[in-house]
Amino acid sequence: MYEIWLAMNIVWEIALTAWPWLLALGVLIVVLWAIALQRGRAPWGAAFASTLAVGVVAAAAMILTLPMWSQSRLAELAYWPDWATLLGIAAAAGGVAMLLAWPLLASLQRQRWPSPRS
């Protein structure tokens, strides 16, 4: 249990040092979603498959690059909390990528979506 608490504290301390960037990211997500929702009907379901692919690619990229950013290697992750932390951060990055990509991909799909009047 201590390892999980320690990992949560590490993530919290990193977030405290990067809070302006996290705030800007949150504002960007809200703006993208507000624009997409105000523009009307969009094929949200049709865009979800490609959005999921974006999230998986972002999570996989994070799994491969995060250890290098922390001056470590995947081979040095020998303890289960290390792997849990890496996979949790990668899943969060994939989720953020999906939050950014879904309104954009739905807007792109909207251009190909038939209008109700035609």
Side-chain angles (χ1 to χ4, degrees):
M1 192 66 180
Y2 170 75
E3 292 88 358
I4 296 171
W5 180 251
L6 179 63
M8 289 172 41
N9 279 326
I10 290 169
V11 169
W12 176 253
E13 291 297 325
I14 291 170
L16 284 178
T17 62
W19 74 265
W21 292 103
L22 294 173
L23 180 65
L25 179 64
V27 168
L28 178 63
I29 289 171
V30 168
V31 167
L32 284 175
W33 276 90
I35 291 171
L37 292 174
Q38 283 181 349
R39 292 180 71 192
R41 185 171 171 235
W44 294 102
F48 185 74
S50 52
T51 302
L52 188 59
V54 168
V56 168
V57 168
M62 189 60 81
I63 287 172
L64 296 175
T65 59
L66 188 63
M68 290 186 304
W69 288 347
S70 63
Q71 298 167 353
S72 182
R73 295 188 325 257
L74 282 175
E76 294 177 5
L77 301 177
Y79 196 43
W80 73 265
D82 297 336
W83 282 102
T85 302
L86 176 64
L87 294 176
I89 293 171
V96 169
M98 288 177 68
L99 281 174
L100 289 167
W102 202 0
L104 297 173
L105 292 173
S107 294
L108 290 174
Q109 293 271 341
R110 179 185 291 128
Q111 295 170 358
R112 289 182 261 163
W113 192 263
S115 68
R117 295 184 187 135
S118 47

